[in-house]
Amino acid sequence: MNPSTRVVFNTGIQYLRNIVSVVVSLFVTRLILDALGVENYGIYAVVGGVVAMLSFIQSSLSGTTQRYLSFHQGRNDITMQKKIFNNSVLTQLLISVLLILILIAVKPVLFGGFLNMPEERREAAVWVYYCMLISLFFTMQSTPYMATLIAHENILYATLVQLVDTFLKIPIALSLTWFTVDRLKLYAVLVVSVQVFNFMLYYLYSKRKYPETTG
């Protein structure tokens, strides 16, 4: 595939991904809201929003890693590619652990009155909070592998993983009506499971496909 065709192809599949994501989200959000109820859905949005604010760190580090990988890929310097990738993995690990420790430290402040929520749902909210921390960890660990895919212009696989993430929200939303357990806790666990699954898709594919991820 020549460069101009690749640009058109990558742009097209990203537009397709965005359209599909919007359509599925409109459908799924209604199902989740009906299953959780307004109160539980609001709790999840508030607690998840605290952690989601840190997502800009992941995108920034991904862009930086991708630029350096692309530069040394253009020079066919596999040694530097491996060094950059390994440094990125270590950096993501250290930053994510530090962020999680900070968020655990501020938990008493957040749930001691800063976040306004019913007292009887506080335990479930804390459960969601810890699930979001796990989700944050695996999302950040995916960063070096996502950067590697982008450096190799493999937008197709990255888009497929994101579409898998999108479509998995449908059975998650439907399953909330099948169980009698606390649906807010169940939803948080299922969302974390999807993040772990996404990480494994990135990890296994990159390890198999790109030599700079194996050294």
Side-chain angles (χ1 to χ4, degrees), residues 59-75:
S59 59
S60 300
L61 292 174
S62 177
T64 302
T65 303
Q66 177 264 317
R67 284 194 293 272
Y68 281 103
L69 287 173
S70 296
F71 176 77
H72 290 287
Q73 180 185 326
R75 301 179 65 179

Side-chain angles (χ1 to χ4, degrees), residues 13 17 20-21 138-139 142 145-146 149 154-169 193-206:
I13 62 175
R17 178 203 65 197
V20 172
S21 296
F138 281 100
T139 298
S142 301
Y145 303 97
M146 172 66 81
L149 290 169
N154 192 350
I155 307 301
L156 176 60
Y157 185 78
T159 300
L160 289 175
V161 174
Q162 291 163 352
L163 287 175
V164 169
D165 178 277
T166 298
F167 283 113
L168 282 176
K169 293 176 182 177
S193 300
V194 171
Q195 291 300 325
V196 175
F197 182 64
N198 290 344
F199 168 74
M200 294 305 300
L201 290 178
Y202 287 127
Y203 177 86
L204 295 174
Y205 181 86
S206 298

Side-chain angles (χ1 to χ4, degrees), residues 27-68:
F27 172 70
V28 167
T29 300
R30 180 179 63 84
L31 294 178
I32 294 174
L33 181 58
D34 288 342
L36 293 181
V38 175
E39 183 179 82
N40 283 335
Y41 188 84
I43 291 173
Y44 183 87
V46 170
V47 175
V50 173
V51 179
M53 288 189 300
L54 301 173
S55 62
F56 73 93
I57 298 176
Q58 188 258 352
S59 59
S60 300
L61 292 174
S62 177
T64 302
T65 303
Q66 177 264 317
R67 284 194 293 272
Y68 281 103

Side-chain angles (χ1 to χ4, degrees), residues 4-19:
S4 59
T5 304
R6 183 181 293 276
V7 170
V8 173
F9 177 77
N10 288 340
T11 302
I13 62 175
Q14 289 186 80
Y15 272 113
L16 177 62
R17 178 203 65 197
N18 291 336
I19 293 172

Side-chain angles (χ1 to χ4, degrees), residues 50 108-116 122:
V50 173
V109 176
L110 294 175
F111 292 94
F114 183 80
L115 297 179
N116 186 21
R122 194 172 302 276

